[in-house]
Amino acid sequence: MDGKQKEHYTQRQDTSAVRHRKTCKTNEGAECLSQPSSETSNGANKRIPKRAGHLSSPSRDDHVPVYTLVLVLVLSVCTRFYKITEPPHVCWDETHFGKMGSYYINRTFFFDVHPPLGKMLIGLAGYLTGYDGTFPFIKPGDKYEHHNYWGMRAFCAALGSCLPPFAFLIVLELSHSKPAALIAASLLIFDTGCITLSQYILLDPILMFFIMGSVLCMVRFNTQRLRPFSFSWWFWLLLTGVCLSGSLGVKFVGLFVILLVGINTAFDLWRLLGDLSLSLLDFGKHLLARVFGLIMLPLFLYTTIFAVHFIVLNRSGPGDGFFSSAFQSRLIGNNLHNASMPEYLAYGSVITVKNLRIAGGYLHSHWHLYPEGVGAHQQQVTAYLHKDYNNLWLVKRPDNSDDLTGPPELVRQGDIIRLEHKETTRNLHSHFHEAPLTKKHLQVTGYGINGSGDVNDLWQVEVCGGKKGDPVKVLRSKVRFLHRSTSCVLCSSGKTLPKWGWEQVEVTCSPYVKETPNTQWNIEDHINPKLPNISLSVLKPTFLEVLWESHIVMIRGNSGLKPKDNEMNSKPWHWPINYQGLRFSGVNETEYRVYLLGNPVIWWLNLLSLALFVLMLTVASLAKQRGVKMEGMRKVHCHTLMEGGGMLLLGWLLHYLPFYIMGRILYYHHYFPAMLFSSMLTGTTANQITVGTALVLFYLFHPLSYGMRGPLAQDPASSMAGLRWMESWEF
């Protein structure tokens, strides 16, 4: 840089500083229209000027209003921890997540449709506060008695208490208005639904903690735009990645906040790409930093969560049957752990055959027959979820010849076999009769005696992904059995048979030959004295294989969560209007009742604010497009509306709209992450009257959260009778 350039640069710096001082305001919030432009990039040693037409984020006080933040935190803690031990019995989904916390303490393997972080933290909280993992958590209403349950509830309440302070800081960063931030925090402090959801052993407060943490860190990172590669820049970038991994590690809906951060990052990079003063090399550094902080770091932490999960849960438990035989061989106490058996299937082997779908069960038969009018009156063949002697089958040649003499012959891809039930000596059989439940499928039975039967007992072995002549590997091979006479494939439908079928799983022969887990099986137990045994430790899956399988099982489990008969299924359109709550505890007037329902004025005001914001955004966008001149604070407010409010609206949309296309069963509590964003958006559009109204409604509806006894709200004598504003409210 020569002398003239230096002089010109100095004049620009001085002009910028003067402009900065002139535009700074001295009122509450200390909004500034620009930051000093003399800060440089530590990594690239270049100044990042503003783009033409781009208004930099308004400045704020260098210090957060500490006293206000402390007040928000104290109120939040008081409302969440009040009566935290009441009721002293299991409430709603505590029966699941409390039990899973116990499994971690006892190191017992289990299956759940959600990633493990939330349950691990619950178990850790219980362990650190003296809970020994012995309470069974059988059903809602069971008394805790002497068991130390308060620590797990307190942990969830502590994370739930962080939500209002997080909302305060987020809205303060986006709007630079303390009143707006205080309104947003107050809406969450006095919402009865948020209080209820935070007071019990549930995943929701943990999930919402990481979601709000992700948004706060993202917003704070955005404020470091003029200080790239500084310590604070890296701190907030990496902390955003940590919170993202936590969100996804609790529930898969954490993907929604990941998408929100991803969209924000894409726009941020697009702005940087349009900054012509920034070299492509420096832009590449920005890109790589974000890839590391927002992709690689979260993936590493997310994978680490599962590594810890598998290390801790190393003992056989109720989750074994949901996973493959190879997976089960890792678990201490499972019959496959440290076992030895022949590696390849051969004629004359006695085997168990396990279906690969979730809870598909073992191929099973018993002496009982199908009842009259249900297909052929022959021996039942089912899928059974537990280890049993009636799961054993003998592999025989198609000609039914004696396999006990001569050298063993391996079963290979394309071979025709018979499967004879070891206990009853009847062959696995199918024919042109309808299956008992799945009407487009064919019935599967046990037929014949002492191994004799007919051509309908013949099945062709198909190794998935194999080629003709490939041997069948124990545990590892995915096998299908194609019926020779009808060209259908052996299938576990997943449907539960009536009492005549001992409520076991229906087995059919499916005419749809497409490969699905329902039609895929593997050989688990394998007995053949003619073949050399190998240790199953050789066949144990790698960590990546276990990680992949666990995700496939979780995804299938989520998709399989369908409403049961007479089970209420909440609709997404119910949620924003607070149409119907959720009963946490108690059903009659003599019981301690807790009802999950949002503060009506807050939820309906949130809905109104969403519509109002869209209207305000439309007007501001039209004014900007038409070139309407905006000066001073009007320009600042327009900027805040379009960028800050727009981000909150996008967060609400991403956490709400996807539920309309989900096929699984839905519940009212699924809306609460979206409710956090709508409440923060309300804070930017509402006024102080909102807080007073919310406080009054909180006082009136607080028994829903903290418990109530006496007559139900339908009874005119009930103290809650006048508050049952909608017939669908069942408190």
Side-chain angles (χ1 to χ4, degrees):
M1 183 182 292
D2 58 24
K4 291 183 178 181
Q5 288 175 321
K6 287 183 178 179
E7 181 180 358
H8 176 67
Y9 180 77
T10 303
Q11 291 173 351
R12 288 177 59 195
Q13 294 285 76
D14 293 341
T15 303
S16 175
V18 171
R19 187 186 303 114
H20 174 74
R21 288 192 296 270
K22 286 182 178 181
T23 55
C24 287
K25 306 296 181 182
T26 58
N27 63 344
E28 182 182 31
E31 291 98 342
C32 298
L33 291 182
S34 67
Q35 299 278 0
S37 59
S38 60
E39 305 209 30
T40 59
S41 165
N42 292 350
N45 213 18
K46 284 182 177 288
R47 186 175 62 88
I48 303 182
K50 295 179 290 184
R51 290 178 58 198
H54 173 68
L55 181 66
S56 64
S57 299
S59 177
R60 55 182 177 81
D61 288 334
D62 291 336
H63 66 279
V64 173
V66 177
Y67 294 118
T68 308
L69 181 60
V70 170
L71 175 64
V72 168
L73 180 60
V74 169
L75 289 174
S76 185
V77 169
C78 290
T79 54
R80 269 66 180 171
F81 276 83
Y82 178 63
K83 299 179 72 172
I84 189 68
T85 58
E86 296 293 330
H89 61 248
V90 178
C91 293
W92 194 51
D93 269 359
E94 284 188 326
T95 187
H96 298 302
F97 302 119
K99 182 186 299 181
M100 293 170 186
S102 298
Y103 285 144
Y104 278 105
I105 294 174
N106 298 317
R107 307 194 66 177
T108 303
F109 187 76
F110 68 94
F111 163 71
D112 185 44
V113 297
H114 306 300
L117 179 60
K119 284 94 65 179
M120 280 199 293
L121 293 176
I122 288 172
L124 178 62
Y127 177 78
L128 294 177
T129 53
Y131 173 59
D132 58 5
T134 58
F135 186 74
F137 287 96
I138 295 175
K139 65 182 185 301
D142 288 350
K143 299 290 185 182
Y144 283 116
E145 297 178 341
H146 65 279
H147 293 277
N148 195 350
Y149 66 96
W150 69 268
M152 292 182 284
R153 281 190 180 177
F155 169 73
C156 293
L159 296 190
S161 299
C162 295
L163 302 181
F166 283 178
F168 178 86
L169 293 173
I170 291 169
V171 175
L172 184 64
E173 289 287 356
L174 294 177
S175 68
H176 309 286
S177 167
K178 293 176 186 176
L182 188 58
I183 290 172
S186 299
L187 296 182
L188 298 184
I189 290 173
F190 299 117
D191 180 64
T192 50
C194 285
I195 292 171
T196 304
L197 212 57
S198 298
Q199 287 195 309
Y200 298 95
I201 306 171
L202 303 172
L203 297 184
D204 301 271
I206 308 174
L207 171 68
M208 292 190 290
F209 171 84
F210 283 113
I211 288 176
M212 292 290 279
S214 299
V215 176
L216 175 59
C217 294
M218 175 190 72
V219 170
R220 291 290 294 164
F221 173 71
N222 288 343
T223 65
Q224 308 300 312
R225 189 173 296 160
L226 297 178
R227 294 184 288 275
F229 305 105
S230 64
F231 173 81
S232 58
W233 188 91
W234 276 110
F235 176 80
W236 291 111
L237 174 64
L238 298 181
L239 196 55
T240 303
V242 171
C243 290
L244 291 179
S245 65
S247 301
L248 187 59
V250 176
K251 281 189 176 183
F252 283 129
V253 293
L255 285 169
F256 301 152
V257 75
I258 291 177
L259 185 57
L260 176 64
V261 173
I263 292 173
N264 175 81
T265 304
F267 277 104
D268 188 27
L269 288 172
W270 185 252
R271 278 195 294 264
L272 289 174
L273 188 61
D275 183 1
L276 300 182
S277 69
L278 195 68
S279 70
L280 290 179
L281 178 61
D282 291 333
F283 175 79
K285 292 178 181 178
H286 278 274
L287 176 62
L288 290 177
R290 287 160 175 79
V291 168
F292 173 76
L294 302 179
I295 297 178
M296 295 178 64
L297 177 62
L299 280 177
F300 170 76
L301 294 175
Y302 181 74
T303 305
T304 302
I305 291 169
F306 277 88
V308 174
H309 169 72
F310 294 134
I311 291 172
V312 173
L313 302 185
N314 63 348
R315 297 174 183 169
S316 178
D320 295 15
F322 291 91
F323 289 81
S324 69
S325 305
F327 187 102
Q328 295 180 44
S329 67
R330 319 168 40 254
L331 301 173
I332 299 171
N334 190 284
N335 67 307
L336 298 176
H337 181 69
N338 288 338
S340 61
M341 63 179 65
E343 182 178 7
Y344 297 104
L345 180 64
Y347 293 102
S349 295
V350 176
I351 62 173
T352 60
V353 186
K354 186 178 185 298
N355 189 255
L356 296 187
R357 73 175 298 277
I358 295 175
Y362 296 90
L363 188 63
H364 176 94
S365 189
H366 40 234
W367 289 104
H368 303 280
L369 306 181
Y370 287 101
E372 293 289 348
V374 181
H377 191 54
Q378 296 176 6
Q379 184 169 296
Q380 296 176 16
V381 172
T382 65
Y384 189 47
L385 298 179
H386 306 284
K387 311 277 186 178
D388 189 82
Y389 185 76
N390 280 327
N391 298 342
L392 295 176
W393 298 82
L394 175 64
V395 182
K396 304 182 72 173
R397 291 189 175 90
D399 57 5
N400 214 24
S401 59
D402 189 357
D403 302 306
L404 299 180
T405 61
E409 180 183 347
L410 299 183
V411 177
R412 300 179 181 275
Q413 160 87 307
D415 283 4
I416 309 298
I417 65 170
R418 293 177 188 263
L419 286 176
E420 178 185 313
H421 189 240
K422 185 69 174 172
E423 172 67 12
T424 63
T425 70
R426 290 198 168 111
N427 295 328
L428 187 68
H429 178 96
S430 189
H431 44 221
F432 288 103
H433 288 267
E434 276 191 344
L437 301 180
T438 311
K439 297 305 180 184
K440 292 185 178 181
H441 290 200
L442 302 181
Q443 184 187 35
V444 175
T445 68
Y447 179 75
I449 191 68
N450 293 327
S452 63
D454 60 23
V455 293
N456 285 332
D457 304 338
L458 301 181
W459 301 82
Q460 184 174 3
V461 176
E462 178 186 289
V463 179
C464 299
K467 56 183 181 295
K468 188 171 179 61
D470 283 353
V472 178
K473 296 181 180 179
V474 173
L475 299 182
R476 287 303 187 95
S477 292
K478 297 179 181 179
V479 180
R480 303 206 308 161
F481 299 98
L482 278 66
H483 191 244
R484 293 288 292 171
S485 299
T486 62
S487 299
C488 58
V489 60
L490 189 67
C491 173
S492 172
S493 70
K495 299 178 181 178
T496 303
L497 293 168
K499 290 188 180 298
W500 57 256
W502 303 93
E503 297 183 340
Q504 296 175 9
V505 179
E506 178 192 40
V507 168
T508 68
C509 201
S510 171
Y512 308 108
V513 296
K514 181 181 178 181
E515 290 186 7
T516 66
N518 298 64
T519 62
Q520 293 175 329
W521 308 76
N522 74 286
I523 311 303
E524 184 168 290
D525 296 290
H526 183 207
I527 304 170
N528 193 322
K530 294 184 178 182
L531 295 174
N533 290 339
I534 65 165
S535 172
L536 292 187
S537 60
V538 178
L539 304 179
K540 283 183 181 178
T542 65
F543 169 72
L544 291 179
E545 289 173 328
V546 169
L547 182 66
W548 175 256
E549 179 178 349
S550 65
H551 279 77
I552 295 299
V553 172
M554 285 189 293
I555 292 170
R556 290 175 183 167
N558 263 303
S559 62
L561 292 175
K562 307 296 183 183
K564 299 178 182 177
D565 293 339
N566 301 320
E567 184 176 10
M568 185 173 295
N569 184 23
S570 182
K571 305 293 184 183
W573 68 267
H574 291 173
W575 305 338
I577 63 174
N578 217 21
Y579 177 76
Q580 189 172 42
L582 192 62
R583 187 180 290 112
F584 263 43
S585 173
V587 293
N588 58 54
E589 61 185 36
T590 63
E591 295 178 319
Y592 191 96
R593 303 189 304 279
V594 176
Y595 192 71
L596 177 66
L597 185 73
N599 187 321
V601 70
I602 292 175
W603 285 57
W604 295 339
L605 184 62
N606 284 350
L607 191 60
L608 178 64
S609 296
L610 285 168
L612 179 62
F613 175 79
V614 172
L615 178 62
M616 293 167 61
L617 185 64
T618 302
V619 172
S621 300
L622 290 174
K624 184 178 180 181
Q625 187 68 18
R626 292 295 299 170
V628 175
K629 292 184 178 180
M630 289 180 283
E631 301 291 340
M633 291 307 299
R634 183 180 297 177
K635 191 172 185 179
V636 174
H637 291 154
C638 182
H639 168 80
T640 300
L641 179 73
M642 300 185 70
E643 291 203 4
M647 190 274 288
L648 295 175
L649 177 64
L650 179 61
W652 178 79
L653 292 172
L654 291 175
H655 285 82
Y656 176 53
L657 294 184
F659 287 101
Y660 280 94
I661 60 174
M662 289 188 184
R664 58 155 292 170
I665 187 171
L666 299 174
Y667 296 103
Y668 172 63
H669 71 99
H670 288 145
Y671 181 69
F672 277 82
M675 180 266 181
L676 299 176
F677 287 93
S678 63
S679 295
M680 289 189 288
L681 188 60
T682 299
T684 65
T685 57
N687 56 37
Q688 288 86 341
I689 298 175
T690 304
V691 178
T693 309
L695 184 58
V696 172
L697 268 292
F698 167 72
Y699 174 75
L700 294 176
F701 282 90
H702 78 272
L704 299 182
S705 296
Y706 299 127
M708 50 194 164
R709 295 186 188 273
L712 302 177
Q714 294 91 326
D715 188 338
S718 171
S719 61
M720 303 294 291
L723 298 176
R724 191 168 180 256
W725 300 345
M726 299 180 70
E727 289 293 327
S728 53
W729 293 354
E730 300 174 328
F731 54 79

